[in-house]
Amino acid sequence: MTVASARYSPLYFLASLGAGGLTVTFFMWLMFWVPHPGQPVPIFEDNLALMSTGTLLEQALVLGAMAGIALFAILNIKLLIWNLRRFSAFRRSDAYAAFSESNAGSQILAMPLALAMSINVGFILGLTFVPGLWSVVEYLFPAALAAFLTIGLYALRMLGGFIGKRLSNGGFSCEANNSFAQMLPGFALSMVAVGLAAPAAMSGNPVTAGISIIAASFFMVAALIVALVAGILGLRSMMENGVNAEAAPTLMVVIPLMTVIGIAMLRINHGLHVHFETHGSAGETLMLLTRLLSVEILFALFGLMVLSRVGYVAQFLRGSGASAGSYALVCPGVALSVLIHFWLNKGLVAAGLVAKFGVAYWAISGVAIALQLSMILLVWMLSRRHFTPVQTPAITA
């Protein structure tokens, strides 16, 4: 028996999400360190070319990235399947009725969030390991749009059911809403948006790109509205009742939300530039990414301060407590690492402020890599705590 099995929560979908996020961090190595002329993302052939002609260090970086992508993609899919099975059983249990009637009912949005991430992971696997994929990629984009739209509509249905029941019957406890846990649905919608935005950045077909831009924009706006309302309600409750110590990691959910929204905006802007004569400058991109990074740093400082005040690490990471919500700590570190890569390469380098592969470049890249390695360590620690068989798991609600 494991802790995760003994007291299942839909928040364990965040374990799959975190592994998917780490897959993305390794793809950043290929995205910005492997030359990929002819297409906006690196593909198998680009990796192979650098492996054949690159220096020993370049070859090691490519091999390391590919190994990391393969390892965490497998973990992502494994945890997704485990969660889908456990969630199916959970929905048939007596405990689900009480769960769905409580504030925690919105946690079911962690499922479409994880599903959307896994589709992104699948695309990364295809780009990295499948020869000749780019020759048929235009046929894959409509399928990807259909998949993300299906997940997005499912997420909206889940969210509508949760909100509709509270608006018609009441029962939502504002006193118990003393965290940013209700921002999870906004995060889920933003993950759908960034997936829908991918064809805008990569497709050569204006119709495909146009559909991508419109659909992604809808879900991006929906995500921001949901997150803004949830954030205001959560902050009011926290100021009145103090933060829920176990849910304290949710205070940093703004960080992955900003990264995902930022990438979606970059993809949309690229599609508008290529297909619809809307041209932005490198300076505008730098300012967009700098503002997003500023928001993330502020919320990271805020979240870490609160975690320290409530003794979260001592209780849930080192002590006897175990909470599925601890996996919410992985997303901010991963997201901050990814955004630093984009800020450096699409912002500072593109604007001419930093020379690519210079000393300053590697110093800033080192910060992103340090965050990435820290999150790998955190995932390992959480896996031991939650998925290692124990005799009598210590569990807190």
Side-chain angles (χ1 to χ4, degrees), residues 100-312:
S100 62
E101 294 295 330
S102 69
N103 286 16
S106 62
Q107 293 176 8
I108 59 173
L109 271 294
M111 180 173 66
L113 172 60
L115 288 171
M117 172 59 85
S118 291
I119 294 178
N120 288 318
V121 168
F123 199 71
I124 288 174
L125 285 173
L127 292 173
T128 306
F129 296 105
V130 178
L133 182 71
W134 200 254
S135 63
V136 297
V137 73
E138 289 294 346
Y139 299 100
L140 300 179
F141 287 142
L145 288 171
F148 279 115
L149 281 172
T150 300
I151 294 172
L153 293 175
Y154 186 43
L156 287 175
R157 181 181 177 184
M158 285 180 161
L159 180 59
F162 176 79
I163 295 177
K165 185 178 293 185
R166 271 67 186 176
L167 291 177
S168 58
N169 302 326
F172 185 82
S173 173
C174 291
E175 182 179 354
N177 187 39
N178 50 340
S179 70
F180 282 164
Q182 298 303 324
M183 292 181 73
L184 178 64
F187 185 18
L189 294 175
S190 71
M191 189 63 71
V192 172
V194 77
L196 287 169
M202 291 183 275
S203 177
N205 186 314
V207 175
T208 300
I211 293 172
S212 169
I213 290 169
I214 294 168
S217 298
F218 171 82
F219 280 95
M220 187 167 60
V221 170
L224 290 172
I225 291 174
V226 170
L228 179 61
V229 173
I232 292 172
L233 292 175
L235 183 61
R236 181 196 178 281
S237 181
M238 284 187 284
M239 294 298 289
E240 182 175 350
N241 305 295
V243 69
N244 180 333
E246 187 176 354
T250 64
L251 299 184
M252 293 187 285
V253 72
V254 173
I255 298 174
L257 180 67
M258 289 296 100
T259 291
V260 172
I261 290 294
I263 295 173
M265 293 176 71
L266 290 178
R267 289 175 169 179
I268 289 172
N269 289 342
H270 183 79
L272 291 172
H273 168 74
V274 171
H275 297 289
F276 304 105
E277 300 297 327
T278 301
H279 306 295
S281 67
E284 290 172 335
T285 301
L286 172 62
M287 289 310 302
L288 168 65
L289 293 171
T290 299
R291 288 164 182 157
L292 292 173
L293 185 60
S294 299
V295 172
E296 294 194 8
I297 291 173
L298 289 170
F299 272 91
L301 294 173
F302 170 58
L304 291 173
M305 180 270 291
V306 175
L307 288 173
S308 176
R309 286 294 188 96
V310 301
Y312 188 90

